[in-house]
Amino acid sequence: MGKKYYDIVDKIKLELEKIRPKLIADGGNIEFINYKDGILKIRFLGECAHCELSHITLKFAIEKNIKEKIPEVNKVIEVKMSVI
C-alpha cells in the first residue's frame, strides 16, 4: 500500500473525528475498521451500536459526508461486532 492509500485513510479518519462528537453526545461512537477498493468499513459503538436508526445515520450523515469530501470512497458499510 502506497502513500496515496495512507493519505486517503488519514482523510477518512479526520472526517470521522469531525462526526464523532455528535455521536458521543448521543452516547455512541464510531470506529474506523478498514478501507479497501473504495469501501470504508466502520463500526458503531455504545448506544449507536444498538440504535434502530443507525442505518439512517450511516447513510445520510456518515456516508454522504465522507463521499462528498473524499471521492475515492464509493461506499460506507457497517461492520457488526461479533461474539465468539
Side-chain angles (χ1 to χ4, degrees):
M1 294 183 204
K3 182 179 180 336
K4 183 177 179 179
Y5 169 81
Y6 291 107
D7 287 345
I8 294 168
V9 168
D10 286 345
K11 288 180 192 177
I12 291 168
K13 288 181 177 180
L14 179 63
E15 290 307 315
L16 292 177
E17 285 301 319
K18 293 176 185 177
I19 296 166
R20 180 170 277 120
K22 294 174 185 155
L23 299 175
I24 290 172
D26 287 336
N29 208 335
I30 192 169
E31 178 182 21
F32 170 87
I33 300 296
N34 190 12
Y35 169 75
K36 184 177 180 183
D37 299 327
I39 299 173
L40 169 61
K41 294 180 181 178
I42 59 99
R43 179 177 8 233
F44 285 117
L45 303 170
E47 292 299 317
C48 292
H50 310 290
C51 178
E52 293 179 12
L53 301 176
S54 65
H55 65 285
I56 293 171
T57 300
L58 178 67
K59 193 74 175 167
F60 297 104
I62 298 168
E63 183 175 66
K64 181 178 182 290
N65 183 46
I66 295 283
K67 287 171 66 176
E68 285 175 1
K69 303 258 171 78
I70 308 163
E72 294 87 354
V73 176
N74 301 315
K75 187 173 186 176
V76 179
I77 60 173
E78 178 186 4
V79 175
K80 297 283 187 181
M81 194 173 216
S82 62
V83 178
I84 299 175

